[in-house]
Amino acid sequence: MKQDVLSLIEQNYPNLSPSARSIANYLQQHPLAIVSQTSAEIAEHTHTSKATVSRFFRQLGFESQQDAKQAQLQLRQNGVPVLTQGHSIDQTAEELKNLSQTFEGLHADILNDVCAQLANASRVTLIGFRNSYPVALHFRQQLQQIRPSIRLLPQPGQTLGEDLHDILDDEVIVLFGFQRRTRVFKKIVEVLKGHQTILITDPTGQMYNQQVSQVLVCHLGNDNPFYSYAAPMSLVSMLSNRVYDLIGKNGHHRTQAISQLFNELGEME
């Protein structure tokens, strides 16, 4: 995977000619130009020529300005925060689009099956790394209020081998895997093969379809430098509510008992 154009500019800046430095200065100040402008437009803004712009990108290691643009877009697809749109993005519309695409793509029979598993399993294990960890943590907080035997992995400072070895036959594992996934993620999927594993991921995680029991796809958006986790959090909320309905009275009694403990401990306002 090629590096970010801006990082390459910084690395190569001392070796650039005066005209190439003009281009470098312009792109550092206007990074969106890398993907939104042609070589001719960059040349015009920097008072250089198309040939100079072409030489500039070749010096950075690209075949052309178009090659640099594609590399920049590919970085974004791989989860690297890179500016690819202007500042006029309608954030509300973007979030609504992510939510709509996510929920329209979920099949009712799969959701019903997943929720039944989460309600009836002897234990539920939630696994998430990096940006997936807070989503898994929130899911744990929700599920633990309505049913026992919920655990979150990895524990801080701990390895996974012991816990993955102790997975029960009727245990359900919910694996969260959003970009950018760690190298160990693929190995975890392989270790969990044969177990009841639910993968909650973005569209790129569908590559694991054949290795897990169910896949729930969330859309995170591609226009902003950073992905949005509104859709995964909303999915977790929906699953928690459905599981609560399935558990029924036992879930209600558990939430009441936990609320009573909150009061006794003085943990809540």
Side-chain angles (χ1 to χ4, degrees):
M1 185 174 68
K2 292 185 177 179
Q3 283 184 268
D4 175 16
V5 174
L6 296 178
S7 298
L8 290 171
I9 289 174
E10 185 176 345
Q11 292 173 22
N12 288 276
Y13 196 91
N15 302 319
L16 298 177
S17 66
S19 57
R21 287 182 182 180
S22 296
I23 298 171
N25 295 339
Y26 175 72
L27 295 180
Q28 285 178 325
Q29 294 171 23
H30 306 88
L32 188 60
I34 299 167
V35 297
S36 65
Q37 295 182 10
T38 64
S39 295
E41 290 171 327
I42 294 173
E44 181 180 352
H45 284 292
T46 57
H47 305 291
T48 58
S49 66
K50 285 181 62 178
T52 303
V53 173
S54 296
R55 283 195 300 273
F56 169 79
F57 282 109
R58 285 198 299 272
Q59 188 169 356
L60 296 184
F62 301 100
E63 294 181 4
S64 63
Q65 186 265 340
Q66 183 64 24
D67 185 32
K69 174 182 177 179
Q70 292 303 317
Q72 206 70 350
L73 293 175
Q74 185 58 50
L75 283 171
R76 183 66 189 89
Q77 289 293 325
N78 291 335
V80 180
V82 174
L83 187 65
T84 60
Q85 298 286 335
H87 299 292
S88 59
I89 296 173
D90 186 332
Q91 189 67 37
T92 301
E94 181 76 4
E95 297 292 8
L96 290 173
K97 182 181 73 172
N98 293 337
L99 289 167
S100 177
Q101 289 178 334
T102 295
F103 285 99
E104 286 175 2
L106 298 173
H107 299 288
D109 55 340
I110 293 179
L111 286 175
N112 291 337
D113 185 34
V114 166
C115 291
Q117 291 179 51
L118 293 172
N120 299 319
S122 62
R123 183 170 66 187
V124 175
T125 292
L126 311 171
I127 303 175
F129 297 87
R130 302 184 74 249
N131 288 346
S132 299
Y133 189 84
V135 185
L137 178 64
H138 180 62
F139 202 15
R140 171 190 173 276
Q141 189 273 338
Q142 300 289 287
L143 290 178
Q144 198 165 40
Q145 293 187 68
I146 56 178
R147 57 150 297 159
S149 300
I150 307 292
R151 64 174 181 165
L152 175 66
L153 302 177
Q155 291 296 312
Q158 298 299 308
T159 50
L160 280 172
E162 307 95 313
D163 294 306
L164 295 183
H165 178 271
D166 288 339
I167 292 175
L168 307 173
D169 290 338
D170 58 347
E171 183 169 353
V172 171
I173 303 98
V174 183
L175 181 60
F176 293 84
F178 303 109
Q179 294 205 62
R180 303 156 69 188
R181 291 179 286 273
T182 61
R183 289 186 181 276
V184 74
F185 185 87
K186 182 178 181 180
K187 295 180 180 179
I188 291 173
V189 172
E190 292 173 356
V191 168
L192 293 176
K193 194 179 296 185
H195 293 285
Q196 201 72 313
T197 304
I198 300 161
L199 173 60
I200 298 180
T201 183
D202 61 87
T204 65
Q206 294 176 100
M207 62 185 290
Y208 297 107
N209 276 359
Q210 303 302 315
Q211 298 171 267
V212 297
S213 306
Q214 287 97 4
V215 177
L216 302 180
V217 176
C218 295
H219 291 269
L220 313 181
N222 275 317
D223 292 335
N224 285 309
F226 290 99
Y227 287 128
S228 166
Y229 289 84
M233 283 295 193
S234 185
L235 175 61
V236 161
S237 176
M238 184 198 72
L239 293 175
S240 300
N241 285 317
R242 287 196 175 198
V243 173
Y244 180 84
D245 288 339
L246 286 174
I247 293 175
K249 289 183 179 180
N250 289 338
H252 179 65
H253 293 156
R254 181 176 172 87
T255 58
Q256 285 186 319
I258 290 173
S259 294
Q260 181 61 36
L261 277 174
F262 286 154
N263 292 332
E264 292 175 8
L265 296 171
E267 291 185 310
M268 301 292 178
E269 289 186 351

CSV table of all heavy atoms in Angstrom, one decimal, residues 49-97:
chain,number,residue,atom,x,y,z
A,49,SER,N,4.2,24.2,-14.8
A,49,SER,CA,3.7,23.6,-16.0
A,49,SER,C,3.2,22.2,-15.7
A,49,SER,O,3.5,21.6,-14.7
A,49,SER,CB,4.8,23.5,-17.1
A,49,SER,OG,5.8,22.6,-16.6
A,50,LYS,N,2.4,21.6,-16.6
A,50,LYS,CA,1.9,20.2,-16.5
A,50,LYS,C,3.1,19.3,-16.4
A,50,LYS,O,3.1,18.3,-15.6
A,50,LYS,CB,1.0,19.8,-17.6
A,50,LYS,CG,-0.4,20.4,-17.6
A,50,LYS,CD,-1.2,20.0,-18.7
A,50,LYS,CE,-1.4,18.5,-18.7
A,50,LYS,NZ,-2.3,18.0,-19.8
A,51,ALA,N,4.2,19.5,-17.2
A,51,ALA,CA,5.3,18.7,-17.2
A,51,ALA,C,6.0,18.7,-15.8
A,51,ALA,O,6.5,17.7,-15.3
A,51,ALA,CB,6.3,19.1,-18.2
A,52,THR,N,6.1,19.9,-15.2
A,52,THR,CA,6.7,20.0,-13.8
A,52,THR,C,5.8,19.3,-12.8
A,52,THR,O,6.4,18.6,-11.9
A,52,THR,CB,6.8,21.5,-13.4
A,52,THR,OG1,7.5,22.2,-14.4
A,52,THR,CG2,7.5,21.6,-12.1
A,53,VAL,N,4.5,19.3,-12.9
A,53,VAL,CA,3.6,18.6,-12.0
A,53,VAL,C,3.8,17.1,-12.2
A,53,VAL,O,3.9,16.4,-11.2
A,53,VAL,CB,2.2,19.0,-12.2
A,53,VAL,CG1,1.2,18.1,-11.4
A,53,VAL,CG2,1.9,20.5,-11.9
A,54,SER,N,4.0,16.7,-13.4
A,54,SER,CA,4.2,15.2,-13.7
A,54,SER,C,5.5,14.8,-13.1
A,54,SER,O,5.5,13.7,-12.4
A,54,SER,CB,4.2,15.0,-15.2
A,54,SER,OG,2.9,15.2,-15.7
A,55,ARG,N,6.6,15.6,-13.3
A,55,ARG,CA,7.9,15.2,-12.7
A,55,ARG,C,7.8,15.2,-11.2
A,55,ARG,O,8.4,14.3,-10.5
A,55,ARG,CB,8.9,16.2,-13.1
A,55,ARG,CG,9.4,16.0,-14.5
A,55,ARG,CD,10.7,16.8,-14.8
A,55,ARG,NE,10.5,18.2,-14.6
A,55,ARG,CZ,10.1,19.1,-15.5
A,55,ARG,NH1,9.9,18.6,-16.8
A,55,ARG,NH2,10.0,20.4,-15.3
A,56,PHE,N,7.0,16.1,-10.6
A,56,PHE,CA,6.9,16.2,-9.1
A,56,PHE,C,6.3,14.9,-8.6
A,56,PHE,O,6.8,14.3,-7.6
A,56,PHE,CB,5.9,17.4,-8.8
A,56,PHE,CG,5.5,17.4,-7.3
A,56,PHE,CD1,6.3,17.9,-6.3
A,56,PHE,CD2,4.2,16.9,-7.0
A,56,PHE,CE1,5.9,17.9,-5.0
A,56,PHE,CE2,3.8,17.0,-5.7
A,56,PHE,CZ,4.7,17.4,-4.7
A,57,PHE,N,5.2,14.4,-9.2
A,57,PHE,CA,4.6,13.2,-8.7
A,57,PHE,C,5.5,12.0,-8.9
A,57,PHE,O,5.5,11.0,-8.1
A,57,PHE,CB,3.2,13.0,-9.3
A,57,PHE,CG,2.1,13.9,-8.7
A,57,PHE,CD1,1.6,15.0,-9.3
A,57,PHE,CD2,1.7,13.6,-7.4
A,57,PHE,CE1,0.7,15.8,-8.8
A,57,PHE,CE2,0.8,14.4,-6.8
A,57,PHE,CZ,0.2,15.5,-7.5
A,58,ARG,N,6.2,12.0,-10.1
A,58,ARG,CA,7.1,10.9,-10.3
A,58,ARG,C,8.2,10.8,-9.2
A,58,ARG,O,8.7,9.8,-8.8
A,58,ARG,CB,7.7,11.0,-11.7
A,58,ARG,CG,6.8,10.6,-12.8
A,58,ARG,CD,7.5,10.3,-14.1
A,58,ARG,NE,8.3,11.4,-14.6
A,58,ARG,CZ,7.7,12.3,-15.4
A,58,ARG,NH1,6.5,12.2,-15.8
A,58,ARG,NH2,8.5,13.3,-15.8
A,59,GLN,N,8.7,12.0,-8.8
A,59,GLN,CA,9.7,12.1,-7.8
A,59,GLN,C,9.2,11.5,-6.5
A,59,GLN,O,10.0,11.0,-5.7
A,59,GLN,CB,10.2,13.5,-7.6
A,59,GLN,CG,11.4,13.6,-6.7
A,59,GLN,CD,12.0,15.0,-6.7
A,59,GLN,OE1,11.6,15.9,-7.5
A,59,GLN,NE2,13.1,15.2,-5.9
A,60,LEU,N,7.9,11.6,-6.2
A,60,LEU,CA,7.3,11.1,-5.0
A,60,LEU,C,7.1,9.5,-5.1
A,60,LEU,O,6.8,8.9,-4.1
A,60,LEU,CB,6.0,11.7,-4.7
A,60,LEU,CG,6.0,13.2,-4.4
A,60,LEU,CD1,4.6,13.7,-4.1
A,60,LEU,CD2,6.9,13.6,-3.3
A,61,GLY,N,7.3,9.0,-6.3
A,61,GLY,CA,7.1,7.6,-6.5
A,61,GLY,C,5.9,7.1,-7.2
A,61,GLY,O,5.6,5.9,-7.3
A,62,PHE,N,5.1,8.1,-7.8
A,62,PHE,CA,3.9,7.8,-8.5
A,62,PHE,C,4.2,7.9,-10.0
A,62,PHE,O,5.1,8.6,-10.5
A,62,PHE,CB,2.8,8.7,-8.2
A,62,PHE,CG,2.4,8.7,-6.7
A,62,PHE,CD1,2.9,9.7,-5.8
A,62,PHE,CD2,1.6,7.7,-6.2
A,62,PHE,CE1,2.6,9.6,-4.5
A,62,PHE,CE2,1.3,7.6,-4.9
A,62,PHE,CZ,1.8,8.6,-4.0
A,63,GLU,N,3.4,7.1,-10.8
A,63,GLU,CA,3.6,7.2,-12.3
A,63,GLU,C,3.0,8.5,-12.8
A,63,GLU,O,3.5,9.0,-13.8
A,63,GLU,CB,2.9,6.0,-12.9
A,63,GLU,CG,3.5,4.7,-12.6
A,63,GLU,CD,2.8,3.5,-13.3
A,63,GLU,OE1,1.8,3.8,-14.1
A,63,GLU,OE2,3.2,2.4,-13.0
A,64,SER,N,2.0,9.1,-12.1
A,64,SER,CA,1.3,10.3,-12.6
A,64,SER,C,0.5,10.9,-11.5
A,64,SER,O,0.4,10.3,-10.4
A,64,SER,CB,0.4,10.0,-13.8
A,64,SER,OG,-0.6,9.1,-13.4
A,65,GLN,N,0.0,12.1,-11.7
A,65,GLN,CA,-0.9,12.7,-10.8
A,65,GLN,C,-2.2,11.8,-10.5
A,65,GLN,O,-2.7,11.7,-9.4
A,65,GLN,CB,-1.3,14.1,-11.2
A,65,GLN,CG,-2.1,14.9,-10.2
A,65,GLN,CD,-3.6,14.8,-10.4
A,65,GLN,OE1,-4.1,14.4,-11.5
A,65,GLN,NE2,-4.4,15.1,-9.4
A,66,GLN,N,-2.6,11.2,-11.6
A,66,GLN,CA,-3.8,10.3,-11.5
A,66,GLN,C,-3.5,9.1,-10.6
A,66,GLN,O,-4.3,8.6,-9.8
A,66,GLN,CB,-4.2,9.8,-12.9
A,66,GLN,CG,-5.5,9.0,-12.9
A,66,GLN,CD,-6.7,9.7,-12.4
A,66,GLN,OE1,-6.8,10.9,-12.5
A,66,GLN,NE2,-7.7,8.9,-11.9
A,67,ASP,N,-2.3,8.6,-10.7
A,67,ASP,CA,-1.8,7.5,-9.9
A,67,ASP,C,-1.8,7.9,-8.4
A,67,ASP,O,-2.2,7.1,-7.5
A,67,ASP,CB,-0.4,7.0,-10.3
A,67,ASP,CG,0.1,5.8,-9.6
A,67,ASP,OD1,-0.8,5.0,-9.2
A,67,ASP,OD2,1.3,5.7,-9.3
A,68,ALA,N,-1.3,9.1,-8.2
A,68,ALA,CA,-1.3,9.7,-6.8
A,68,ALA,C,-2.8,9.8,-6.3
A,68,ALA,O,-3.0,9.5,-5.1
A,68,ALA,CB,-0.6,11.0,-6.8
A,69,LYS,N,-3.7,10.3,-7.1
A,69,LYS,CA,-5.1,10.4,-6.7
A,69,LYS,C,-5.7,9.1,-6.3
A,69,LYS,O,-6.3,8.9,-5.3
A,69,LYS,CB,-5.9,11.0,-7.9
A,69,LYS,CG,-7.4,11.1,-7.6
A,69,LYS,CD,-8.1,11.7,-8.8
A,69,LYS,CE,-9.6,11.6,-8.6
A,69,LYS,NZ,-10.3,12.2,-9.8
A,70,GLN,N,-5.4,8.0,-7.2
A,70,GLN,CA,-6.0,6.7,-6.9
A,70,GLN,C,-5.4,6.1,-5.6
A,70,GLN,O,-6.1,5.5,-4.8
A,70,GLN,CB,-5.7,5.8,-8.1
A,70,GLN,CG,-6.5,6.1,-9.3
A,70,GLN,CD,-8.0,6.2,-9.1
A,70,GLN,OE1,-8.5,5.3,-8.4
A,70,GLN,NE2,-8.6,7.2,-9.6
A,71,ALA,N,-4.1,6.4,-5.4
A,71,ALA,CA,-3.4,5.9,-4.2
A,71,ALA,C,-4.1,6.6,-2.9
A,71,ALA,O,-4.3,5.9,-1.9
A,71,ALA,CB,-1.9,6.2,-4.2
A,72,GLN,N,-4.4,7.8,-3.1
A,72,GLN,CA,-5.0,8.6,-2.0
A,72,GLN,C,-6.4,8.1,-1.7
A,72,GLN,O,-6.8,7.9,-0.5
A,72,GLN,CB,-5.0,10.1,-2.3
A,72,GLN,CG,-5.0,11.0,-1.2
A,72,GLN,CD,-3.7,11.1,-0.4
A,72,GLN,OE1,-2.8,10.3,-0.6
A,72,GLN,NE2,-3.6,12.1,0.4
A,73,LEU,N,-7.1,7.8,-2.7
A,73,LEU,CA,-8.5,7.2,-2.5
A,73,LEU,C,-8.5,5.8,-2.0
A,73,LEU,O,-9.3,5.5,-1.1
A,73,LEU,CB,-9.2,7.3,-3.9
A,73,LEU,CG,-9.6,8.6,-4.4
A,73,LEU,CD1,-10.2,8.5,-5.8
A,73,LEU,CD2,-10.5,9.4,-3.5
A,74,GLN,N,-7.4,5.1,-2.4
A,74,GLN,CA,-7.3,3.7,-1.8
A,74,GLN,C,-7.0,3.7,-0.4
A,74,GLN,O,-7.5,2.9,0.4
A,74,GLN,CB,-6.2,2.9,-2.6
A,74,GLN,CG,-6.1,1.5,-2.2
A,74,GLN,CD,-7.4,0.7,-2.4
A,74,GLN,OE1,-8.0,0.8,-3.5
A,74,GLN,NE2,-7.9,0.0,-1.4
A,75,LEU,N,-6.2,4.7,0.1
A,75,LEU,CA,-5.9,4.8,1.5
A,75,LEU,C,-7.1,5.1,2.3
A,75,LEU,O,-7.3,4.5,3.3
A,75,LEU,CB,-4.9,6.0,1.7
A,75,LEU,CG,-3.4,5.8,1.4
A,75,LEU,CD1,-2.7,7.1,1.4
A,75,LEU,CD2,-2.8,4.7,2.3
A,76,ARG,N,-8.0,5.9,1.7
A,76,ARG,CA,-9.3,6.2,2.4
A,76,ARG,C,-10.1,4.9,2.5
A,76,ARG,O,-10.7,4.6,3.5
A,76,ARG,CB,-10.1,7.3,1.7
A,76,ARG,CG,-11.4,7.7,2.4
A,76,ARG,CD,-11.1,8.3,3.7
A,76,ARG,NE,-12.3,8.5,4.5
A,76,ARG,CZ,-12.7,7.5,5.4
A,76,ARG,NH1,-12.1,6.4,5.5
A,76,ARG,NH2,-13.8,7.8,6.1
A,77,GLN,N,-10.1,4.1,1.4
A,77,GLN,CA,-10.9,2.9,1.4
A,77,GLN,C,-10.4,1.9,2.4
A,77,GLN,O,-11.1,1.1,3.0
A,77,GLN,CB,-10.9,2.3,0.0
A,77,GLN,CG,-11.7,3.0,-1.0
A,77,GLN,CD,-13.2,2.9,-0.8
A,77,GLN,OE1,-13.7,1.9,-0.3
A,77,GLN,NE2,-13.9,4.0,-1.1
A,78,ASN,N,-9.1,2.0,2.7
A,78,ASN,CA,-8.4,1.1,3.7
A,78,ASN,C,-8.5,1.6,5.1
A,78,ASN,O,-8.0,1.0,6.0
A,78,ASN,CB,-7.0,0.9,3.3
A,78,ASN,CG,-6.8,0.1,2.1
A,78,ASN,OD1,-7.7,-0.7,1.7
A,78,ASN,ND2,-5.7,0.3,1.4
A,79,GLY,N,-9.2,2.8,5.3
A,79,GLY,CA,-9.5,3.3,6.7
A,79,GLY,C,-8.6,4.4,7.1
A,79,GLY,O,-8.7,4.8,8.3
A,80,VAL,N,-7.6,4.8,6.3
A,80,VAL,CA,-6.7,5.9,6.7
A,80,VAL,C,-7.5,7.2,6.6
A,80,VAL,O,-8.1,7.5,5.6
A,80,VAL,CB,-5.5,5.9,5.8
A,80,VAL,CG1,-4.5,7.0,6.2
A,80,VAL,CG2,-4.8,4.6,5.8
A,81,PRO,N,-7.4,8.1,7.6
A,81,PRO,CA,-8.1,9.4,7.6
A,81,PRO,C,-7.5,10.3,6.5
A,81,PRO,O,-6.3,10.8,6.7
A,81,PRO,CB,-7.9,9.9,9.0
A,81,PRO,CG,-7.6,8.8,9.8
A,81,PRO,CD,-6.9,7.8,9.0
A,82,VAL,N,-8.1,10.4,5.4
A,82,VAL,CA,-7.6,11.2,4.3
A,82,VAL,C,-8.7,12.1,3.8
A,82,VAL,O,-9.9,11.6,3.6
A,82,VAL,CB,-7.1,10.3,3.1
A,82,VAL,CG1,-6.7,11.2,1.9
A,82,VAL,CG2,-5.9,9.5,3.6
A,83,LEU,N,-8.4,13.4,3.5
A,83,LEU,CA,-9.4,14.3,3.0
A,83,LEU,C,-9.7,14.1,1.6
A,83,LEU,O,-8.8,14.2,0.7
A,83,LEU,CB,-9.0,15.8,3.2
A,83,LEU,CG,-10.0,16.9,2.9
A,83,LEU,CD1,-11.2,16.8,3.9
A,83,LEU,CD2,-9.3,18.2,3.0
A,84,THR,N,-10.9,13.7,1.2
A,84,THR,CA,-11.3,13.4,-0.2
A,84,THR,C,-12.5,14.2,-0.7
A,84,THR,O,-12.8,14.2,-1.8
A,84,THR,CB,-11.6,11.9,-0.4
A,84,THR,OG1,-12.7,11.5,0.4
A,84,THR,CG2,-10.4,11.0,-0.1
A,85,GLN,N,-13.1,15.0,0.3
A,85,GLN,CA,-14.2,15.8,-0.1
A,85,GLN,C,-14.0,17.2,0.5
A,85,GLN,O,-13.2,17.4,1.4
A,85,GLN,CB,-15.5,15.2,0.5
A,85,GLN,CG,-15.9,13.9,-0.1
A,85,GLN,CD,-16.4,13.9,-1.5
A,85,GLN,OE1,-16.9,14.9,-1.9
A,85,GLN,NE2,-16.2,12.8,-2.2
A,86,GLY,N,-14.8,18.2,0.0
A,86,GLY,CA,-14.7,19.5,0.5
A,86,GLY,C,-15.3,19.6,1.8
A,86,GLY,O,-15.7,18.7,2.5
A,87,HIS,N,-15.5,20.9,2.3
A,87,HIS,CA,-16.0,21.1,3.7
A,87,HIS,C,-17.5,21.3,3.7
A,87,HIS,O,-18.1,21.7,4.7
A,87,HIS,CB,-15.3,22.3,4.3
A,87,HIS,CG,-13.8,22.1,4.4
A,87,HIS,ND1,-13.2,21.2,5.3
A,87,HIS,CD2,-12.8,22.7,3.8
A,87,HIS,CE1,-11.9,21.2,5.2
A,87,HIS,NE2,-11.6,22.1,4.3
A,88,SER,N,-18.2,21.1,2.6
A,88,SER,CA,-19.6,21.3,2.5
A,88,SER,C,-20.4,20.1,2.7
A,88,SER,O,-21.6,20.0,2.3
A,88,SER,CB,-19.9,21.9,1.1
A,88,SER,OG,-19.5,21.1,0.1
A,89,ILE,N,-19.9,19.0,3.3
A,89,ILE,CA,-20.6,17.8,3.5
A,89,ILE,C,-21.7,18.0,4.5
A,89,ILE,O,-21.5,18.6,5.6
A,89,ILE,CB,-19.6,16.7,4.0
A,89,ILE,CG1,-18.6,16.4,2.9
A,89,ILE,CG2,-20.4,15.4,4.4
A,89,ILE,CD1,-17.5,15.4,3.4
A,90,ASP,N,-22.9,17.6,4.2
A,90,ASP,CA,-24.0,17.7,5.1
A,90,ASP,C,-24.0,16.5,6.0
A,90,ASP,O,-24.3,15.3,5.7
A,90,ASP,CB,-25.3,17.6,4.3
A,90,ASP,CG,-26.6,17.8,5.1
A,90,ASP,OD1,-26.5,17.5,6.3
A,90,ASP,OD2,-27.6,18.3,4.6
A,91,GLN,N,-23.5,16.7,7.2
A,91,GLN,CA,-23.2,15.6,8.2
A,91,GLN,C,-24.5,14.9,8.5
A,91,GLN,O,-24.5,13.6,8.7
A,91,GLN,CB,-22.6,16.2,9.5
A,91,GLN,CG,-22.1,15.1,10.4
A,91,GLN,CD,-20.9,14.3,9.8
A,91,GLN,OE1,-20.1,14.9,9.1
A,91,GLN,NE2,-20.8,13.0,10.1
A,92,THR,N,-25.6,15.6,8.7
A,92,THR,CA,-26.9,14.9,9.0
A,92,THR,C,-27.3,14.0,7.9
A,92,THR,O,-27.7,12.9,8.1
A,92,THR,CB,-28.0,16.0,9.3
A,92,THR,OG1,-27.6,16.9,10.3
A,92,THR,CG2,-29.3,15.3,9.6
A,93,ALA,N,-27.2,14.5,6.7
A,93,ALA,CA,-27.6,13.7,5.5
A,93,ALA,C,-26.7,12.5,5.4
A,93,ALA,O,-27.1,11.3,5.1
A,93,ALA,CB,-27.5,14.5,4.2
A,94,GLU,N,-25.4,12.7,5.7
A,94,GLU,CA,-24.4,11.6,5.6
A,94,GLU,C,-24.7,10.5,6.7
A,94,GLU,O,-24.7,9.3,6.4
A,94,GLU,CB,-23.0,12.1,5.9
A,94,GLU,CG,-21.9,11.1,5.8
A,94,GLU,CD,-21.5,10.7,4.4
A,94,GLU,OE1,-22.1,11.2,3.5
A,94,GLU,OE2,-20.7,9.7,4.3
A,95,GLU,N,-25.1,10.9,7.9
A,95,GLU,CA,-25.4,9.9,8.9
A,95,GLU,C,-26.7,9.2,8.6
A,95,GLU,O,-26.8,8.0,8.8
A,95,GLU,CB,-25.6,10.6,10.3
A,95,GLU,CG,-24.3,11.3,10.8
A,95,GLU,CD,-23.2,10.3,11.2
A,95,GLU,OE1,-23.3,9.1,10.9
A,95,GLU,OE2,-22.2,10.8,11.8
A,96,LEU,N,-27.7,9.9,8.1
A,96,LEU,CA,-29.0,9.3,7.7
A,96,LEU,C,-28.8,8.3,6.6
A,96,LEU,O,-29.4,7.2,6.6
A,96,LEU,CB,-30.0,10.3,7.3
A,96,LEU,CG,-30.5,11.2,8.4
A,96,LEU,CD1,-31.4,12.3,7.9
A,96,LEU,CD2,-31.3,10.4,9.5
A,97,LYS,N,-27.9,8.6,5.7
A,97,LYS,CA,-27.6,7.7,4.6
A,97,LYS,C,-26.9,6.4,5.1
A,97,LYS,O,-27.3,5.3,4.7
A,97,LYS,CB,-26.6,8.3,3.5
A,97,LYS,CG,-26.3,7.4,2.3
A,97,LYS,CD,-25.4,8.1,1.4
A,97,LYS,CE,-24.0,8.2,1.9
A,97,LYS,NZ,-23.0,8.7,0.9
